[in-house]
Amino acid sequence: MMIDVAEELCEECIPGLRIDHVDISGLPMVNPDLVTDGGEGFPPAVEALRDRVHAADCFLFASPEYNYSVTASLKNALDWASMGEHNCWADRAAAIVCAGGDFGGGRASFHLRQIGVFLDLHFINKPELHVRAFADPPKFDEEGNLIDVETRERLKKVLLSLQAFALRLQPKDD
Ligand SMILES: Cc1cc2nc3c(=O)[nH]c(=O)nc-3n(C[C@H](O)[C@H](O)[C@H](O)COP(=O)(O)O)c2cc1C
């Protein structure tokens, strides 16, 4: 997984940037019938997600490409945290790292940029990281751990760019 390596890189060599990895696999599917309190009461797992999204300064999305798009679980999490009176993603910096076949997940990455327009996310443009997961040399081991040194270096550059952009977007204290 690229997120684990991103966490490591932040601890090792990017002061000021820390990854709070959110596991989105256990969320219920978006269903407005699960929302109570006039649109502000969410299931506990969704509340927890929304709190963490709200608290973040910026976002690193890591997704495989599923049928030319992001995974259903990522879209589900994006939708949950956008609902209610408060879109929790709004006005924050974001970066995407994708893995896939010949396009390295590039189509999913561009689809996520499109989704991010209405969420009011601000994606870094450079560098891009679309990993051709099945090309030689192997990028991931059998457990899905990122093992390719060059990809690790490129991931570090994405993180540095994300941090710099997040700092530029922060309101200045006059
Ligand atoms: C339903 C499904 C659709 C997929 N569609 C694509 C695709 O459109 N493009 C691509 O490069 N890989 C595609 N793949 C391969 C995934 O990118 C590959 O499984 C992924 O890199 C490995 O992550 P995972 O083990 O979390 O699925 C697809 C895989 C699945 C299961």
Side-chain angles (χ1 to χ4, degrees):
M1 281 206 302
M2 282 197 276
I3 285 289
D4 293 340
V5 176
E7 261 181 281
E8 262 172 49
L9 286 167
C10 288
E11 277 168 27
E12 281 167 19
C13 51
I14 312 185
L17 192 62
R18 189 178 60 82
I19 305 249
D20 178 22
H21 179 187
V22 182
D23 180 356
I24 55 174
S25 60
L27 293 172
M29 282 301 289
V30 160
N31 177 356
D33 292 346
L34 298 178
V35 184
T36 56
D37 292 341
E40 291 308 313
F42 294 92
V46 175
E47 284 289 2
L49 168 80
R50 290 173 59 89
D51 287 348
R52 286 166 77 180
V53 170
H54 186 59
D57 296 312
C58 57
F59 305 105
L60 176 70
F61 295 102
S63 180
E65 181 170 279
Y66 277 10
N67 295 316
Y68 286 20
S69 187
V70 296
T71 59
S73 50
L74 177 54
K75 182 64 165 57
N76 189 47
L78 290 164
D79 291 343
W80 268 129
S82 74
M83 289 169 73
E85 205 169 306
H86 191 75
N87 163 21
C88 303
W89 304 104
D91 205 23
R92 246 78 56 75
I96 312 161
V97 292
C98 279
D102 283 349
F103 284 78
R107 289 162 299 216
S109 157
F110 281 100
H111 206 178
L112 181 53
R113 284 174 182 272
Q114 181 191 335
I115 295 164
V117 172
F118 196 61
L119 299 177
D120 195 20
L121 283 167
H122 309 299
F123 287 102
I124 61 163
N125 287 324
K126 291 182 181 179
E128 292 182 328
L129 183 49
H130 301 151
V131 182
R132 294 175 66 201
F134 312 112
D136 281 333
K139 309 293 184 299
F140 300 91
D141 67 15
E142 286 186 357
E143 276 88 49
N145 302 306
L146 178 64
I147 51 168
D148 183 58
V149 174
E150 191 203 329
T151 305
R152 191 183 166 96
E153 236 356 82
R154 292 175 63 203
L155 178 57
K156 182 176 163 190
K157 289 184 177 145
V158 169
L159 291 165
L160 288 168
S161 173
L162 175 62
Q163 183 184 39
F165 194 38
L167 289 170
R168 276 173 58 194
L169 284 181
Q170 276 187 358
K172 293 188 179 51
D173 296 326
D174 291 323

